[in-house]
Amino acid sequence: MAYKADDDYDYLFKVVLIGDSGVGKSNLLSRFTRNEFSLESKSTIGVEFATRSIRVDEKVVKAQIWDTAGQERYRAITSAYYRGAVGALVVYDITRNVTFDNVERWLKELRDHTDSSIVIMLVGNKADVRHLRAVDTEAATAFAERENTYFMETSALESTNVEKAFTEVLNQIYQVVSRKALEATSHSTSLPKGQTINVGKDDVSAVKKAGCCSS
Amino acid sequence: MKAKSLPIITFAHKRDAYGFAVRPQNLQRYREYANIYKEEEEERSERWDNFLEQLAESDCTPNNDPQTEKSEVVVHLEASRVTGGSDPHELNVCDGTEETGPEMEAKEKDGRGHPVEIWSQIRPSLSAIEQMMNHRVKKKKNFLENGEQGTNYSVTSRGPTNESRAMEDCDDEFYDVERSDTIQEAPSGDSGNVDSSMNVAGQRVPQETSFPWKEELECLVRGGLPMTLRGELWQAFVGVRARRMDGYYSSLLDPESKTDDKEVDAPLEDESGSKPRLPQETEKWKAQIEKDLPRTFPGHPALDENGRNALRRLLTAYARHNPSVGYCQAMNFFAGLLLLLMPEENAFWTLMGIIDDYFDGYYTEEMIESQVDQLVLEDLVRERFQKLVNHLDYLGVQVAWVTGPWFLSIFVNMLPWESVLRIWDVILFDGNREMLFRATLALMDLYGPAIVTTKDAGDAVTLLQSLAGSTFDSSQLVLTACMGYQDVNETRLQELRAKHRPTIIAAMEERSKGVRVWRDSKGLATKLYSFKRDNGPLASETKSNENPSVDAELDSLPDLKEQATWLKVELCRLLEEKRNATLRAEELETALMEMVKQDNRRFLSAKVEQLEQEVTELRQCLADKQEQECVMLEILMRVEQEQKATEDARHFAEQEAAAQQHMMHSLEEKYEEALSLLAQMENRAVMAETMLEATLQYQSGQLKALSSPRTPTADQSPKTDQSPKTSLLSRPFSLSWRDKSKGKQNNSEESTDGKLTSEGDQNLQSPSTQTNGHQEPEK
């Protein structure tokens, strides 16, 4: 087929883009994955999907990003896509207060359907439309602190902070995952692992001994 | 009317024949197919022309039926169609311009002069088809009016006000009706369908018995509709005429004229029934519609200011018509598409037919049917594509991730336009969602093998999406879908839907509960409010869950009553948290289990197994090697022994050889000695002979000289006795020897002769005795 897979990667992270309709989720996604922006984008029906690999800490991280429909009634459907997500960008439009007010609901939605360790970033998009700003950066920062999420203001149009926002989320996920992996190796799963290692060692020594004998 | 003229737009190279944008990655393929499309289009319009002509010849009854009053328009339109019949692209031009005629007429006839009302009859040559489809619509209506109450569950959470009359129109009764229909139809086939429909709607069509050309029409539909007829045929398929109520559309758009509504018809009563809530709801749609207007086929040449206004009116009218649906994203695309093919009000009735009827329950607030269909689809995919499903399961991909958007958008924006329209042709003709499933299964069929090669969920989804987006071979797709998946019919689908519906409804109820809980936890005020409402159940729960951590906060509250309420509220929150926590814990546990199971154990055990196998292999190898070694050693020992023996033998042989050599040496010496002795002896013998001869000569000389030889002879007798003896002994030998070696030893003889002659007899005797004495001991 004419299709070519992204080459090797060390980690695969599922990230969802949620937020009210028309806040610019699809453009954030296209900006990040294809470096494209369209003033004439079409409404997202259900979900859309894209991937991009970036480098974090010498590791290649492949981000699987699900862009969801914003209309409220689609939540029943889109929540199915949250499963397995380790990161989320909750997007609002800095020029429309109501989209910011709804962030709380989106967060709730997210926390209901995903693991508690999910990395969440609050994203205030359309930061380029300065003269129409309706949501203060301070208010959003305070809110993000309260909700224990990361926060960034972006502009998909001017391409400001888009890369940074996604990278930051992926980076944080990476931190969480590697921390988890460390914990996992230190206790709970040590039994089976130890066994294997022992077996491995025995085998090696056995082989070596045999080798000595024969030579 | 602007919309009508759309197909003639001189499309830029990035837009297709319909004026829609082609994705850059598909441009090349689109160009390849553009000519095929053109050829297909020509063939198709010819076929349709023939069919419609035959139809007109064979039965004239439909034309005589209710719409005879429009005969002027009929002739007019017929003419326009015939002129353009040869070339579809020119036809578009004709159509676009001529179409204004009937629209104007319609307007004039209407007389009311609503600026927004744009309505036109479809061409009469299609009226037979239209009539057939109208039966279908009427039949359904009749069933509804007879009040068939199936499994009627209320799906809306909007409160009781809304559920009264409106629900009947949009709830799932349609499906129950449809199901009973299809069950009837299934054994008797298509004609049976029509017959039964006629029995139901008998009073309106008394004279007709059947539509013998229905099958032919079905074939034609599957082959695709000609561009020029598509808009009108769609209307005919949906049964727009049977659905239409005069003035309804304009009244929807004119909220002030609400008072008229009640007299118009049933759906309007619903509207007025929910009137008190209307402004609020409209507000909600409005915002979403406004957001989506510029996001509907952005950049399409037809969707300019006027186009968008028409779209806005259409969507608003529909939202008002059916508040249980209101406006749902995706409808903007349908409305936009319809507006490109037909006048505004026609588009409205068509949209209404599609959403209210074909896709009933799909775009409502809960989107129940759309979720049910995904489960049904998953069943069907599992049935048919084992390998693909196994792979998708392995990757953790749900089929619905990709197909959900396909179904919801009825493939708009998901497939190339030609394919979308071809699928729509069939869907609108069938009057149900069979084709959605069939087309999706056909796509799985086409692209399943490629999907199986993907390595992660993202790749699989991306690949399927991009492959679907490049399905330019619309004929292949439609034929595969219709022929290959005929067994996916409405009867089967209804069975599966009935099976899965309870799951979705349960999940939905769970969810709506969750939403309520969320609302409760929003703030203290709302908590208290909701607490007052749900006092009963919470009070009982309070006892079971006492939490000491609340105490600290408790003290800060002054009023006991307030404290109690607050405590209860707090308990609610804690309960909820607990629930969440347990849920999360469960999730985590399962996740952990999975991780341990999948990542660690399987991986490690596989590794162990591998290593063990390696070890056994190595051991085996080792044993073999050792065995070989032993054998080798044995062989080596033997070889060594043999070598030793050989060396000994060699040594011995050498010694022997040396001894023999030595012996040979000595023998040679002796031989030489003997030879020299022999030579000496010979010399002596020769000498002795010579001497003897000389002596004989001398003796004979003396005998001759002496006369009395007796006395001297007697004196010398021992001497003379001796000499003849030797001569007698040696003569035959010496003579013979002399003869033999005369040539050789001539010189030496002469010299020895010379010597020997001077020597005496004594010398002659001694060496011979010497050699004899010497040789004796040696032997």
Side-chain angles (χ1 to χ4, degrees):
Chain A
M1 286 277 134
Y3 167 82
K4 211 176 168 220
D6 293 32
D7 283 310
D8 270 351
Y9 50 85
D10 301 294
Y11 292 95
L12 182 65
F13 294 152
K14 178 173 175 177
V15 176
V16 290
L17 266 169
I18 56 174
D20 275 11
S21 175
V23 296
K25 296 181 292 296
S26 298
N27 268 319
L28 280 172
L29 177 66
S30 67
R31 176 61 84 192
F32 178 64
T33 56
R34 302 188 294 275
N35 197 19
E36 285 170 12
F37 178 88
S38 171
L39 276 172
E40 310 175 320
S41 63
K42 53 180 190 278
S43 331
T44 306
I45 306 302
V47 286
E48 275 170 22
F49 174 87
T51 60
R52 188 185 148 184
S53 293
I54 63 160
R55 204 160 255 285
V56 176
D57 226 28
E58 300 295 301
K59 299 274 192 223
V60 179
V61 168
K62 186 172 175 184
Q64 224 181 62
I65 307 162
W66 294 87
D67 169 27
T68 61
Q71 197 182 10
E72 190 176 335
R73 69 181 63 178
Y74 274 99
R75 286 185 197 187
I77 291 170
T78 52
S79 58
Y81 296 83
Y82 296 168
R83 208 176 66 176
V86 287
L89 278 80
V90 182
V91 189
Y92 69 91
D93 176 355
I94 65 148
T95 66
R96 283 187 293 145
N97 231 319
V98 62
T99 65
F100 180 67
D101 294 340
N102 278 331
V103 164
E104 208 179 334
R105 283 198 71 177
W106 285 112
L107 285 174
K108 158 81 181 157
E109 184 85 12
L110 200 58
R111 288 177 171 144
D112 276 356
H113 291 94
T114 58
D115 192 278
S116 58
S117 61
I118 188 169
V119 174
I120 303 174
M121 174 167 284
L122 179 65
V123 173
N125 194 31
K126 307 196 185 176
D128 51 287
V129 196
R130 289 166 199 91
H131 58 288
L132 291 175
R133 176 185 284 276
V135 182
D136 287 339
T137 312
E138 291 76 30
T141 316
F143 177 80
E145 256 168 49
R146 212 163 50 241
E147 290 288 337
N148 200 17
T149 69
Y150 299 90
F151 170 65
M152 216 169 260
E153 282 193 352
T154 62
S155 162
L157 187 142
E158 290 180 347
S159 194
T160 36
N161 274 348
V162 178
E163 185 88 13
K164 212 172 153 190
F166 278 100
T167 314
E168 178 66 15
V169 167
L170 294 174
N171 197 20
Q172 290 304 331
I173 298 170
Y174 174 76
Q175 301 301 335
V176 169
V177 167
S178 46
R179 199 162 54 232
K180 265 190 183 172
L182 224 106
E183 282 165 16
T185 46
S186 64
H187 46 94
S188 62
T189 54
S190 60
L191 195 77
K193 220 175 186 176
Q195 276 175 349
T196 6
I197 285 170
N198 285 343
V199 169
K201 270 182 182 170
D202 286 351
D203 285 355
V204 167
S205 54
V207 169
K208 272 184 182 167
K209 254 188 241 164
C212 291
C213 282
S214 67
S215 59
Chain B
M1 35 171 106
K2 170 208 55 55
K4 256 291 175 182
S5 62
L6 197 147
I8 50 151
I9 284 157
T10 50
F11 44 90
H13 62 287
K14 281 188 180 173
R15 294 189 169 269
D16 64 14
Y18 303 96
F20 295 112
V22 178
R23 272 173 242 178
Q25 66 266 32
N26 289 336
L27 258 181
Q28 185 61 37
R29 292 203 65 195
Y30 172 71
R31 286 200 196 109
E32 283 168 23
Y33 275 93
N35 288 328
I36 298 174
Y37 290 159
K38 205 175 159 190
E39 278 171 33
E40 279 184 345
E41 180 66 33
E42 278 165 19
E43 270 175 43
R44 176 179 301 153
S45 30
E46 211 171 292
R47 275 205 304 267
W48 275 90
D49 282 345
N50 291 338
F51 172 74
L52 293 177
E53 260 168 46
Q54 275 174 18
L55 206 59
E57 282 167 22
S58 63
D59 68 359
C60 313
T61 34
N63 281 348
N64 303 335
D65 226 35
Q67 65 267 49
T68 31
E69 78 266 19
K70 301 257 177 177
S71 53
E72 277 174 58
V73 189
V74 169
V75 178
H76 187 59
L77 271 171
E78 196 76 70
S80 84
R81 193 178 61 81
V82 171
T83 45
S86 53
D87 186 321
H89 292 280
E90 268 180 44
L91 187 64
N92 289 335
V93 185
C94 298
D95 242 354
T97 47
E98 302 271 342
E99 208 61 60
T100 54
E103 278 162 19
M104 299 306 270
E105 255 175 87
K107 237 187 211 174
E108 282 163 25
K109 258 177 206 157
D110 229 330
R112 279 188 233 166
H114 278 295
V116 290
E117 183 156 47
I118 304 161
W119 163 257
S120 76
Q121 290 285 337
I122 63 168
R123 66 194 65 193
S125 56
L126 305 179
S127 62
I129 300 170
E130 191 179 22
Q131 204 174 3
M132 183 179 84
M133 295 301 180
N134 287 349
H135 291 157
R136 189 163 71 187
V137 177
K138 280 172 195 153
K139 178 188 68 183
K140 269 186 192 168
K141 259 191 193 164
N142 278 0
F143 262 110
L144 271 181
E145 277 157 19
N146 292 344
E148 268 222 352
Q149 297 288 322
T151 48
N152 189 12
Y153 47 86
S154 67
V155 283
T156 47
S157 62
R158 293 236 197 117
T161 40
N162 213 15
E163 281 173 24
S164 57
R165 193 73 174 81
M167 294 318 289
E168 256 175 64
D169 213 32
C170 63
D171 221 335
D172 288 73
E173 281 152 82
F174 265 127
Y175 289 111
D176 300 317
V177 172
E178 252 178 28
R179 176 164 41 177
S180 56
D181 283 352
T182 39
I183 288 162
Q184 280 173 19
E185 282 164 33
S188 54
D190 285 329
S191 56
N193 171 22
V194 176
D195 286 338
S196 70
S197 78
M198 259 157 2
N199 296 338
V200 174
Q203 75 276 27
R204 291 295 296 266
V205 272
Q207 75 272 54
E208 282 175 84
T209 48
S210 68
F211 300 94
W213 36 265
K214 203 196 166 199
E215 257 171 56
E216 195 185 344
L217 178 63
E218 192 176 12
C219 284
L220 281 174
V221 170
R222 287 175 179 180
L225 308 185
M227 267 197 222
T228 44
L229 294 175
R230 184 167 271 136
E232 285 169 73
L233 277 169
W234 280 11
Q235 293 172 52
F237 291 166
V238 177
V240 164
R241 187 197 289 275
R243 295 178 195 275
R244 182 173 185 242
M245 286 168 289
D246 250 352
Y248 181 52
Y249 180 64
S250 55
S251 71
L252 284 174
L253 291 174
D254 193 2
E256 268 68 60
S257 66
K258 273 279 152 58
T259 40
D260 304 6
D261 291 352
K262 276 173 191 162
E263 357 172 318
V264 181
D265 219 331
L268 293 184
E269 281 170 40
D270 313 340
E271 186 72 15
S272 54
S274 57
K275 208 174 175 181
R277 323 178 74 248
L278 203 68
Q280 189 192 7
E281 294 292 336
T282 314
E283 206 69 39
K284 202 168 145 195
W285 311 326
K286 264 193 177 145
Q288 190 63 53
I289 290 172
E290 286 308 319
K291 262 184 229 166
D292 284 336
L293 286 177
R295 303 200 294 172
T296 308
F297 307 135
H300 193 289
L303 288 169
D304 53 7
E305 192 58 36
N306 289 330
R308 303 237 173 271
N309 287 337
L311 188 59
R312 178 185 297 115
R313 285 194 299 271
L314 181 51
L315 291 172
T316 310
Y318 183 83
R320 286 177 183 160
H321 155 74
N322 187 352
S324 74
V325 171
Y327 168 72
C328 179
Q329 284 188 318
M331 279 164 58
N332 55 328
F333 293 115
F334 308 155
L337 172 60
L338 294 174
L339 277 177
L340 299 176
L341 293 168
M342 59 190 78
E344 197 176 313
E345 198 189 328
N346 300 50
F348 169 77
W349 292 107
T350 312
L351 182 70
M352 181 204 131
I354 295 171
I355 309 280
D356 282 5
D357 188 349
Y358 298 10
F359 285 79
D360 181 27
Y362 240 66
Y363 301 101
T364 53
E365 195 67 42
E366 294 77 22
M367 305 182 92
I368 300 256
E369 289 307 312
S370 114
Q371 296 178 63
V372 171
D373 270 8
Q374 287 309 309
L375 292 183
V376 172
L377 177 75
E378 198 180 329
D379 268 8
L380 294 173
V381 172
R382 271 180 199 285
E383 246 171 50
R384 284 168 176 75
F385 306 102
Q386 249 317 304
K387 204 176 162 195
L388 174 67
V389 168
N390 286 344
H391 186 69
L392 291 180
D393 283 347
Y394 168 70
L395 296 180
V397 174
Q398 286 175 24
V399 178
W401 288 356
V402 183
T403 55
W406 287 358
F407 273 52
L408 281 168
S409 57
I410 321 182
F411 294 112
V412 171
N413 293 326
M414 305 293 164
L415 301 180
W417 269 104
E418 185 73 20
S419 302
V420 173
L421 296 173
R422 292 285 298 275
I423 290 172
W424 276 62
D425 290 345
V426 180
I427 289 176
L428 297 188
F429 175 78
D430 288 348
N432 55 42
R433 301 194 295 270
E434 276 173 8
M435 188 57 185
L436 269 185
F437 289 92
R438 290 179 181 174
T440 304
L441 290 171
L443 287 167
M444 294 291 173
D445 196 2
L446 286 173
Y447 303 129
I451 304 301
V452 172
T453 63
T454 51
K455 289 193 199 101
D456 68 53
D459 289 346
V461 173
T462 319
L463 181 59
L464 188 52
Q465 281 174 342
S466 73
L467 284 173
S470 64
T471 314
F472 282 96
D473 197 340
S474 51
S475 294
Q476 187 200 17
L477 177 64
V478 173
L479 289 181
T480 313
C482 292
M483 300 301 159
Y485 298 97
Q486 273 173 326
D487 55 330
V488 181
N489 53 37
E490 199 59 20
T491 321
R492 175 121 173 69
L493 291 178
Q494 289 300 355
E495 278 169 24
L496 289 170
R497 280 177 190 140
K499 178 182 134 197
H500 287 296
R501 196 171 284 120
T503 323
I504 297 292
I505 289 168
M508 192 264 303
E509 273 162 8
E510 179 74 17
R511 203 182 146 72
S512 64
K513 237 184 262 169
V515 169
R516 210 185 58 226
V517 169
W518 176 80
R519 275 182 190 135
D520 293 349
S521 64
K522 203 170 185 178
L524 200 61
T526 41
K527 266 187 205 169
L528 287 172
Y529 172 69
S530 69
F531 176 65
K532 272 175 204 158
R533 276 200 327 201
D534 316 330
N535 214 346
L538 278 175
S540 59
E541 278 175 341
T542 320
K543 287 175 191 167
S544 57
N545 288 287
E546 293 277 330
N547 199 324
S549 70
V550 188
D551 291 352
E553 290 174 319
L554 232 155
D555 298 335
S556 61
L557 289 165
D559 190 355
L560 264 172
K561 258 189 185 174
E562 243 178 75
Q563 271 185 20
T565 356
W566 184 84
L567 183 68
K568 281 171 186 170
V569 171
E570 203 56 33
L571 267 169
C572 291
R573 192 178 59 82
L574 287 169
L575 273 175
E576 200 208 327
E577 269 174 24
K578 197 190 129 196
R579 198 182 64 97
N580 283 351
T582 40
L583 275 178
R584 234 168 255 165
E586 267 167 37
E587 259 172 47
L588 278 173
E589 209 172 314
T590 38
L592 184 71
M593 292 282 280
E594 263 172 42
M595 270 179 69
V596 169
K597 228 187 269 173
Q598 285 184 346
D599 286 352
N600 236 325
R601 206 183 301 169
R602 211 202 298 165
F603 175 71
L604 291 180
S605 65
K607 211 169 177 186
V608 168
E609 225 169 84
Q610 199 190 329
L611 285 171
E612 268 169 15
Q613 207 178 335
E614 267 172 42
V615 169
T616 44
E617 264 171 41
L618 283 171
R619 285 206 176 126
Q620 179 78 37
C621 217
L622 184 74
D624 285 353
K625 286 256 168 77
Q626 274 174 333
E627 210 174 296
Q628 275 181 7
E629 203 198 331
C630 282
V631 175
M632 286 294 281
L633 267 175
E634 218 173 291
I635 292 172
L636 199 70
M637 293 268 277
R638 217 179 292 162
V639 168
E640 245 168 63
Q641 273 179 336
E642 264 170 44
Q643 207 181 2
K644 226 180 194 177
T646 331
E647 204 150 321
D648 283 351
R650 190 178 62 95
H651 218 73
F652 184 72
E654 258 173 43
Q655 277 179 336
E656 214 168 283
Q660 273 176 356
Q661 214 168 358
H662 186 72
M663 219 196 283
M664 199 178 73
H665 224 72
S666 57
L667 277 174
E668 241 167 67
E669 267 171 39
K670 276 177 199 164
Y671 174 67
E672 250 164 61
E673 224 173 290
L675 267 186
S676 58
L677 277 175
L678 191 67
Q680 271 179 350
M681 288 285 280
E682 256 169 52
N683 282 343
R684 273 189 206 154
V686 173
M687 200 163 49
E689 238 172 277
T690 348
M691 277 172 73
L692 188 66
E693 264 172 56
T695 322
L696 280 176
Q697 276 175 352
Y698 176 70
Q699 274 180 341
S700 63
Q702 269 193 335
L703 279 170
K704 276 172 195 172
L706 291 168
S707 47
S708 56
R710 280 273 164 138
T711 44
T713 324
D715 294 342
Q716 282 183 334
S717 62
K719 276 187 186 178
T720 44
D721 280 338
Q722 216 177 9
S723 54
K725 271 181 186 173
T726 46
S727 68
L728 280 170
L729 279 169
S730 60
R731 185 163 270 172
F733 168 73
S734 61
L735 280 176
S736 67
W737 179 84
R738 259 170 82 186
D739 289 337
K740 275 180 203 167
S741 59
K742 220 167 203 173
K744 245 195 216 174
Q745 293 187 328
N746 242 347
N747 295 329
S748 59
E749 250 179 88
E750 275 170 25
S751 60
T752 43
D753 276 1
K755 267 187 188 173
L756 282 170
T757 41
S758 59
E759 280 181 26
D761 276 331
Q762 282 178 321
N763 289 340
L764 184 90
Q765 285 280 20
S766 61
S768 68
T769 49
Q770 265 183 350
T771 46
N772 281 339
H774 188 68
Q775 271 179 338
E776 284 279 334
E778 284 237 308
K779 277 205 173 168

